Amino acid sequence: MPARDVAVTRISPLSAFRVGLAMSLVGLVAWLLAVVLLYFGMGAAGVWDQVNSLIGGVGGDQVITFGMVISVATLLGAIGAILTSVLAPLSAVIYNAIVDLFGGLTVSLQEEAE
């Protein structure tokens, strides 16, 4: 089976942005699903009732609700998605600068016989 070496010498910042955006959006959906499942699991265990009674016993009016939890989780996830989308093209630019100095990644491709 013949093998050939391919060098990755340049990554387009636009394609890095698109891939980073797609992956961060998928990560955001997975994050929100995990938060929802964790919220309902903790609710079934009675954790939120105990936390809300503790907050009320200290003198607070704020209770932890599903809307508050999902809002905070969405805000944190959106910040993470934006940071990932912005840092992906920046990483591609840094990679391209380093490749100009030292050379790119070499990947060995091997074809499989059918």
Side-chain angles (χ1 to χ4, degrees), residues 1-50:
M1 293 180 215
R4 63 182 184 157
D5 292 337
V6 177
V8 180
T9 57
R10 185 175 188 289
I11 297 174
S12 169
L14 182 60
S15 70
F17 172 74
R18 284 185 272 180
V19 170
L21 180 64
M23 291 182 71
S24 66
L25 290 178
V26 169
L28 176 62
V29 170
W31 162 253
L32 291 176
L33 284 175
V35 167
V36 167
L37 289 174
L38 191 60
Y39 178 84
F40 286 124
M42 291 174 74
V47 172
W48 297 123
D49 294 331
Q50 291 179 358

Side-chain angles (χ1 to χ4, degrees), residues 62-106:
Q62 188 74 26
V63 292
I64 298 175
T65 62
F66 178 73
M68 179 193 309
V69 170
I70 202 72
S71 297
V72 170
T74 303
L75 177 65
L76 292 176
I79 290 170
I82 290 169
L83 283 176
T84 302
S85 299
V86 168
L87 291 177
L90 181 62
S91 299
V93 168
I94 292 171
Y95 175 80
N96 291 337
I98 291 172
V99 164
D100 289 341
L101 293 174
F102 301 109
L105 291 174
T106 302

